[in-house]
Amino acid sequence: MDQFDQSLEVLMEGAGWLAPILFILLHVFRPFFFLPVIVVCITGGVLFGFVEGAILSFIGLSLMSLITYPLIKKIPWFRRGISRLKGKFIHNERTISVGQVMILRIMPFIHFHLLSFFLMEMTKSFKEYMYYSVLGLIMPAILFTAFGEAIRELPWYATMIMFLILGVILICIDKWNRSRLKRTEAKFD
């Protein structure tokens, strides 16, 4: 991984004013290189600093969300693959909310396209999908760029505590959504 970071840094320095565009394109083509979102965002922080790195990561992730929508809509084998992944992630009729998707975006081990698929199923239009998708990408771009290096260097137990806290938040949101759904159903019965 260090060798990749060094190669990327040399490429970006040699690119000059094209470096930000190449970095955004790296976000777009990241799935083809099997690079996790967090690695690319950390790299953005190292290469461009916190502010510019976070902005460029946000733009790149937003473009990836924009591209994912037609991929899932128009390519049947891609949609089937994401649907199978969804079946492994969520069993039975259980659903997740937009808020939970936004929290899951912060967790680096959750599949980017799967979360985009969830958003597509929850929203009624492309405009609404992009609104929630872009809104949900702000925190990962900021957190991964700013704290990516710190998270990577934390001791294993501190990292586990952080993920445990995020998991508790996710469960709380799920319970709140379920109680809200029950109250809504009770009104219509």
Side-chain angles (χ1 to χ4, degrees), residues 81-154:
I82 296 294
S83 291
R84 275 195 304 273
L85 189 59
K86 178 188 173 194
K88 292 177 184 177
F89 187 73
I90 294 184
H91 305 289
N92 302 331
E93 72 270 350
R94 184 185 163 121
T95 60
I96 63 174
S97 68
V98 173
Q100 287 173 310
V101 169
M102 290 181 181
I103 299 261
L104 288 171
R105 286 263 193 222
I106 299 170
M107 296 183 174
F109 53 85
I110 304 293
H111 196 280
F112 183 87
H113 297 305
L114 176 62
L115 295 176
S116 294
F117 185 65
F118 284 140
L119 281 176
M120 285 177 65
E121 290 184 334
M122 289 180 246
T123 55
K124 296 177 177 81
S125 67
F126 174 72
K127 184 178 178 181
E128 186 180 7
Y129 161 80
M130 280 307 296
Y131 172 77
Y132 286 119
S133 188
V134 166
L135 195 62
L137 293 171
I138 294 170
M139 286 310 293
I142 291 171
L143 286 177
F144 294 163
T145 303
F147 302 112
E149 195 66 34
I151 289 171
R152 193 168 66 174
E153 292 182 12
L154 284 175

